Amino acid sequence: MADTTRDVVGARINLDTSKMIPAFKMIDQGAKQNAETFKVLNQEITVTTKNYTALAGAADKMSLNSDERRKKIMAESEALVKQRTAQAELLTMKKNQMEQANQIVDAKLAAQQAIIKRRYDAVEQQEREHQKRMEILQNKLTASAARVTTGTSATSADTMRERVLMQEQAIRQKLAQMAEKESMQARKHAADYEKFWINALQSRERKEAQVRERALQEEQRVRRSLTQTQTQISGITGTAAQFAMTGTLYYAFTRGATEAISLLKDFEYELVNVQRVMGESADVGYVKDSMISSAKEYGYALREVASVYTLIAQNGFDEKQTEQLARTALMAKNVEQSFQSASQAQELMTGAILNYGMAAEDAERLLDRLNEVANNFPTTSKKLLEGINRVGATAKNAGVDIDELIGYLTVLNQAGFSGAVAGNAIKSFISYASRPIAIDKLEKYVGVMKQADGEMMDFPELLSKIAAQWDTLSDAERNEVTQAIARGDQASRFITLMNNYSKVVDVAKVSEESFGSAQRENTLTMSTLTKQSEQLRASWDELIISIGDSGLLGGLKLIVVTRISKPH
């Protein structure tokens, strides 16, 4: 109890105060440890807050719709691009500053070189002047010696020569001293020049090293910043992309199933239409396989090909003829952009075949002619087919060859007339040229228009005969001939045809020599990405049809029938 006597209060309450200081030390240490613990806890809370903030940002982006999410990601990408652009501009500016510093150093070096060159020039000028003075002194000495020799005795001459030699030696010493002085000055200038260059180059190297170091540090900082930004964006977009991909796959599957069922319905409907127009005996299986094969070969959706086959079959063609015309129409749309669709191409092509009385097997050869002419003259296959649809039957009866007819139509198309207008004009020419009043006028101004048996010559022969004499006729005679064959608005078209009749021959020759033109261009078209994508789609359609044939179509029908027959 000896320790308690030191503290009166402690003594009164019988308290051992010697243990209080260690206790307070322990409490202080515990408080410090708690402070450290709370500091670590605060750091953990800060990190957790940042993580929750990033998670909340990601959740906000995921909650956005596709357009808003795309806009947000695009905005972040644009900000990243702007940051990169700013850093690139900064580096460019620093590079320009370094180049400007280099230019200043180069200018200073050039000025120093100019100063040194002027000094060297001055030294050389002084040396030339010294040499000139030496030459003058030498001449004076020579003249003095001559005068001394002629006017004095031998002793005086020796004295004079000694004096001259001494003066010459003094001059030589002075010149040697001047040369030594100039040499020393030149060496000093050279040393100064070398020192200046060394200092300038060292200064330049130090500045370049500093600029490179700063640029490298800035680049590293930018790279670290970009890496952090990309990591953040990847983390956010990765989560969003997973949800987006899941939704996309679901909706894609749903749309694909709906599209497949729709294709099966439409394709079956077209096959039913084909069988309806061709009759019960039609080989629908052959037509079906042909449709799928044509869609894959020419790069079309199966629906469009099936529609083309149905439209052709409605004109009374059998299976093989329908196939030939359909394939030609599909090829026509591939090689000629003037057609709005394959259906339009088949409509005009089928009409031309029927009007001119050609066989279905001749369709591809006709397309060769049209395509080659359109490639070499200002017209299109569409315009030519429109013209043939208007005048085809009349031209065939009048003995107009298909190549000549294409020549007539091309000349009028080139003059700005549409295909239908050009076809109607030629039909009008053929009709008026066979009338008696027209024959009388043509025989009056052109010559005999009939053959030996009294029959009227064919229209191409008649037109060629008029064209051969067209340039020799007067204006009044041309007007009479025109009125005999063309009336009203057709007169200007007839005059256009006659003025450009030489082109008819050129077009007809190109048309005749056009074998294989369409197939060659179709091969080029099929090598494009667009057509190869369409071929892939056609293969997918074929797979759907195969799945339908294997039982899916029958199952769908059974479901529909069951639903209809189920009592309500």
Side-chain angles (χ1 to χ4, degrees):
M1 297 294 292
D3 293 335
T4 59
T5 60
R6 298 176 184 176
D7 189 352
V8 177
V9 177
R12 288 180 179 181
I13 62 176
N14 196 21
L15 178 65
D16 189 2
T17 58
S18 63
K19 297 181 180 180
M20 294 180 65
I21 293 176
F24 278 115
K25 289 182 178 179
M26 292 178 63
I27 292 172
D28 185 61
Q29 291 177 357
K32 290 181 179 180
Q33 291 177 355
N34 290 337
E36 293 294 331
T37 303
F38 278 114
K39 185 176 180 180
V40 174
L41 181 60
N42 287 332
Q43 292 177 352
E44 294 293 334
I45 292 173
T46 302
V47 174
T48 305
T49 302
K50 290 182 179 180
N51 292 336
Y52 275 110
T53 302
L55 183 61
D60 291 340
K61 290 187 179 180
M62 286 168 27
S63 65
L64 301 175
N65 56 35
S66 60
D67 289 337
E68 292 174 343
R69 184 166 55 252
R70 179 177 59 80
K71 290 179 181 178
K72 195 171 187 67
I73 293 174
M74 289 298 294
E76 292 176 351
S77 300
E78 289 176 359
L80 182 60
V81 171
K82 289 180 180 179
Q83 184 180 9
R84 290 179 177 176
T85 304
Q87 298 299 336
E89 291 176 353
L90 178 60
L91 293 176
T92 303
M93 182 178 65
K94 291 183 177 180
K95 179 183 177 183
N96 293 335
Q97 291 177 352
M98 184 173 67
E99 290 179 352
Q100 290 176 358
N102 292 339
Q103 290 176 358
I104 293 172
V105 173
D106 292 338
K108 290 181 178 179
L109 293 177
Q112 187 66 23
Q113 289 177 350
I115 293 172
I116 293 173
K117 185 176 184 299
R118 285 197 297 271
R119 289 178 180 175
Y120 280 143
D121 292 341
V123 170
E124 291 179 355
Q125 180 65 26
Q126 291 176 0
E127 185 176 356
R128 285 194 296 269
E129 290 177 355
H130 288 316
Q131 290 177 354
K132 188 174 182 180
R133 286 196 295 270
M134 281 291 298
E135 185 178 356
I136 293 172
L137 290 173
Q138 187 67 34
N139 293 334
K140 288 181 178 180
L141 289 174
T142 304
S144 298
R147 285 195 300 271
V148 170
T149 302
T150 57
T152 64
S153 63
T155 303
S156 299
D158 292 337
T159 303
M160 182 61 67
R161 279 196 298 272
E162 184 177 356
R163 188 183 299 116
V164 170
L165 289 175
M166 290 174 65
Q167 290 178 354
E168 182 178 358
Q169 185 177 3
I171 291 172
R172 289 183 183 275
Q173 290 176 355
K174 187 176 180 180
L175 289 176
Q177 292 174 358
M178 292 177 64
E180 181 65 23
K181 184 178 179 181
E182 291 173 357
S183 176
M184 292 175 62
Q185 290 178 351
R187 286 196 297 270
K188 184 176 181 300
H189 289 316
D192 293 340
Y193 178 72
E194 182 179 3
K195 184 178 179 181
F196 172 79
W197 267 95
I198 292 173
N199 292 334
L201 291 175
Q202 290 176 349
S203 175
R204 180 175 178 179
E205 289 177 356
R206 286 195 298 271
K207 290 181 179 179
E208 289 179 352
Q210 292 174 358
V211 172
R212 284 196 298 269
E213 182 66 22
R214 288 197 296 270
L216 181 60
Q217 293 175 357
E218 188 67 23
E219 182 181 1
Q220 291 175 352
R221 189 184 68 79
V222 172
R223 288 184 183 275
R224 287 195 298 270
S225 176
L226 292 178
T227 302
Q228 293 174 358
T229 305
Q230 289 175 352
T231 303
Q232 295 174 359
I233 293 175
S234 298
I236 295 171
T237 57
T239 305
Q242 292 177 0
F243 287 97
M245 183 176 296
T246 303
T248 302
L249 290 175
Y250 171 75
Y251 288 113
F253 177 77
T254 304
R255 288 196 302 270
T258 304
E259 179 68 18
I261 295 173
S262 176
L263 175 62
L264 289 173
K265 292 193 300 183
D266 295 344
F267 190 67
E268 184 188 30
Y269 181 77
E270 295 294 346
L271 289 178
V272 171
N273 284 338
V274 169
Q275 188 168 19
R276 177 174 55 81
V277 297
M278 286 188 175
E280 295 294 333
S281 60
D283 188 354
V284 179
Y286 177 85
V287 176
K288 174 183 175 182
D289 294 339
S290 178
M291 288 179 180
I292 296 174
S293 175
S294 297
K296 291 168 59 180
E297 182 177 354
Y298 295 103
Y300 286 90
L302 194 53
R303 284 190 182 89
E304 186 174 6
V305 174
S307 175
V308 170
Y309 271 73
T310 302
L311 293 173
I312 295 174
Q314 290 174 352
N315 288 286
F317 294 101
D318 61 21
E319 296 91 331
K320 293 187 178 298
Q321 292 173 336
T322 299
E323 179 185 34
Q324 183 64 44
L325 288 171
R327 292 169 68 88
T328 303
L330 297 174
M331 188 190 303
K333 178 62 178 70
N334 282 352
V335 302
E336 178 59 77
Q337 298 300 318
S338 61
F339 296 113
Q340 297 179 357
S341 63
S343 298
Q344 185 187 51
Q346 75 79 26
E347 179 182 0
L348 293 173
M349 183 67 69
T350 303
I353 291 293
L354 293 174
N355 273 286
Y356 196 78
M358 302 172 72
E361 293 77 11
D362 298 330
E364 185 172 347
R365 183 71 186 94
L366 175 60
L367 180 59
D368 287 338
R369 291 182 165 95
L370 301 175
N371 181 69
E372 191 65 19
V373 169
N375 288 341
N376 291 276
F377 298 94
T379 185
T380 64
S381 300
K382 180 174 176 288
K383 288 182 180 180
L384 295 174
L385 285 175
E386 288 174 346
I388 295 174
N389 273 273
R390 296 300 180 97
V391 71
T394 302
K396 184 67 176 291
N397 292 333
V400 180
D401 182 72
I402 186 65
D403 296 321
E404 292 176 322
L405 178 58
I406 292 174
Y408 300 155
L409 293 171
T410 300
V411 169
L412 293 179
N413 292 159
Q414 184 176 355
F417 300 109
S418 66
V421 171
N424 287 332
I426 296 171
K427 185 197 297 186
S428 175
F429 300 160
I430 295 173
S431 175
Y432 274 93
S434 61
R435 296 187 312 164
I437 187 172
I439 296 173
D440 292 341
K441 283 190 176 183
L442 292 175
E443 289 185 340
K444 177 179 179 182
Y445 295 108
V446 179
V448 178
M449 293 288 111
K450 294 182 179 179
Q451 300 176 355
D453 57 0
E455 294 292 329
M456 185 69 179
M457 63 177 57
D458 290 338
F459 181 73
E461 187 178 357
L462 180 148
L463 213 57
S464 298
K465 193 169 185 178
I466 296 174
Q469 301 187 33
W470 183 257
D471 292 336
T472 63
L473 299 176
S474 64
D475 292 341
E477 292 171 340
R478 290 178 185 175
N479 183 60
E480 291 293 330
V481 171
T482 301
Q483 292 300 318
I485 296 182
R487 296 294 178 90
D489 294 339
Q490 306 296 0
S492 62
R493 292 151 197 165
F494 179 77
I495 294 173
T496 299
L497 184 61
M498 288 295 98
N499 288 337
N500 299 277
Y501 194 80
S502 60
K503 292 183 180 179
V504 173
V505 180
D506 298 336
V507 174
K509 183 178 180 181
V510 170
S511 175
E512 185 178 3
E513 298 174 352
S514 61
F515 186 81
S517 174
Q519 190 62 253
R520 288 192 297 272
E521 287 197 21
N522 182 70
T523 301
L524 295 175
T525 303
M526 295 309 298
S527 64
T528 62
L529 178 60
T530 300
K531 277 301 174 182
Q532 290 178 358
S533 301
E534 292 292 338
Q535 285 180 313
L536 180 61
R537 179 183 176 185
S539 299
W540 174 252
D541 291 345
E542 180 186 19
L543 177 61
I544 293 175
I545 298 301
S546 299
I547 295 174
D549 293 342
S550 64
L552 177 60
L553 186 59
L556 292 173
K557 289 181 180 179
L558 181 60
I559 292 173
V560 173
V561 171
T562 303
R563 180 62 180 169
I564 293 175
S565 61
K566 183 178 180 179
H568 296 283

